[in-house]
Amino acid sequence: MTYPQQSIVRNDKQSGFTLLEVMLVLVIMGLAASAIVFSFGGQDRVEQVKKQSQRFEVVFNMASDFAVLNQQTLGLRIDAEKNTYHFLRLDDEQQWQLLEDDPTFARHELPEDFSLELSLDDLPWQTEDSLFDTEVFDEKLSVSNDGVEIGKEEDKKPEPPQVFILSSGDITPFSLLFSFKPSFGSEQPVYFRINGDDSIPLKREGPLDAP
């Protein structure tokens, strides 16, 4: 049995799409994709700040375990201007040295538009077991001038830590704020906070509406 060619052409026209319809579908799909990317963009920032705070929490706990197991005094140095932190150890001569044996404790830099803000309270060196007895620090939390020589940049001693991690398991009470503050655009700031009391575990808060 044969069918008139005219009927076949008519059915093809009814089942097809016009160029305008195809373009309209593409535009709608493009807008939908843009909306999805935009909605997940902010969530990505939250996750990024969360992961940075989680990394710090894990590494700090590892440093505390290292101090107890090796019976060494460690320190944490925060550089807010460079958005970095790293760990140090107190050697047998009561001098602070970079903890370079394990890359886990090496200098870590936060991504662009991220920042660190350290707050200290109830410092443990105000007690009888003060680390000032070792003459490593003066009352202004600076390195003692004894034995300090002015020379090449690479010969300079590392800056002292702001947070102590003692071999007993005690730590300096501190609060460290992780922030994402976009330099441009419409993204909202993101905040996470790590709180440390006299000992681990640390406590993490966030995301916070404000610091």
Side-chain angles (χ1 to χ4, degrees), residues 149-159:
E149 298 180 359
I150 300 176
K152 297 181 180 179
E153 184 69 26
E154 58 270 18
D155 295 334
K156 291 184 178 179
K157 297 181 182 297
E159 294 184 272

Side-chain angles (χ1 to χ4, degrees), residues 8 12 24 32 57 96 103 115 136 160 173:
I8 296 176
D12 289 342
L24 181 60
E57 185 178 6
W96 288 108
S115 62
V136 176

Side-chain angles (χ1 to χ4, degrees), residues 49-63 76-78 84-87 108 110 116 118 163 165 174-178 193-196 202-204:
V49 182
K50 180 180 178 180
K51 288 180 179 179
Q52 289 291 338
S53 63
Q54 286 177 328
R55 181 196 187 277
F56 174 85
E57 185 178 6
V58 170
V59 174
F60 191 96
N61 289 339
M62 292 175 61
L76 168 69
R77 179 71 192 183
I78 304 290
T84 64
Y85 62 84
H86 62 271
F87 292 84
H108 178 74
L110 271 63
L116 293 167
L118 177 66
V163 175
I165 308 172
F174 73 96
S175 177
L176 184 61
L177 183 68
F178 289 77
R193 185 183 298 277
I194 297 289
N195 295 316
L202 304 179
K203 299 177 182 178
R204 178 164 40 88

Side-chain angles (χ1 to χ4, degrees), residues 1 7 22 36 82 116 122-123 144 165 177 182 198 201 203 207:
M1 179 180 294
S7 299
V22 172
I36 293 174
K82 297 180 180 179
L116 293 167
D122 298 329
L123 303 181
S144 172
I165 308 172
L177 183 68
D198 294 328
K203 299 177 182 178

Side-chain angles (χ1 to χ4, degrees), residues 8-28:
I8 296 176
V9 173
R10 184 182 300 113
N11 290 338
D12 289 342
K13 288 184 178 180
Q14 291 176 351
S15 61
F17 293 96
T18 66
L19 179 60
L20 181 60
E21 289 172 333
V22 172
M23 292 180 63
L24 181 60
V25 170
L26 292 176
V27 170
I28 294 175

Side-chain angles (χ1 to χ4, degrees), residues 25-189:
V25 170
L26 292 176
V27 170
I28 294 175
M29 292 177 62
L31 292 175
S34 299
I36 293 174
V37 171
F38 180 79
S39 63
F40 277 92
Q43 184 66 27
D44 286 345
R45 292 301 188 185
V46 172
E47 288 299 318
Q48 289 177 23
V49 182
K50 180 180 178 180
K51 288 180 179 179
Q52 289 291 338
S53 63
Q54 286 177 328
R55 181 196 187 277
F56 174 85
E57 185 178 6
V58 170
V59 174
F60 191 96
N61 289 339
M62 292 175 61
S64 179
D65 292 339
F66 182 94
V68 173
L69 293 175
N70 293 276
Q71 285 298 288
Q72 283 191 317
T73 298
L74 303 186
L76 168 69
R77 179 71 192 183
I78 304 290
D79 190 333
E81 293 183 359
K82 297 180 180 179
N83 291 334
T84 64
Y85 62 84
H86 62 271
F87 292 84
L88 306 98
R89 64 178 180 85
L90 194 63
D91 65 16
D92 295 336
E93 298 179 354
Q94 303 300 298
Q95 300 293 327
W96 288 108
Q97 305 292 340
L98 296 176
L99 193 57
E100 299 176 324
D101 297 338
D102 191 333
T104 304
F105 304 122
R107 177 178 174 271
H108 178 74
E109 182 177 0
L110 271 63
E112 187 178 359
D113 291 336
F114 286 61
S115 62
L116 293 167
E117 184 178 340
L118 177 66
S119 299
L120 299 172
D121 189 28
D122 298 329
L123 303 181
W125 52 78
Q126 296 174 355
T127 67
E128 292 182 359
D129 296 329
S130 171
L131 283 182
F132 292 124
D133 295 338
T134 65
E135 298 182 356
V136 176
F137 297 99
D138 58 25
E139 294 297 328
K140 295 182 180 179
L141 191 60
S142 61
V143 176
S144 172
N145 291 328
D146 296 338
V148 176
E149 298 180 359
I150 300 176
K152 297 181 180 179
E153 184 69 26
E154 58 270 18
D155 295 334
K156 291 184 178 179
K157 297 181 182 297
E159 294 184 272
Q162 302 105 325
V163 175
F164 295 135
I165 308 172
L166 305 183
S167 58
S168 61
D170 295 330
I171 65 173
T172 305
F174 73 96
S175 177
L176 184 61
L177 183 68
F178 289 77
S179 306
F180 166 72
K181 298 178 181 178
S183 53
F184 60 89
S186 58
E187 290 185 87
Q188 296 298 315

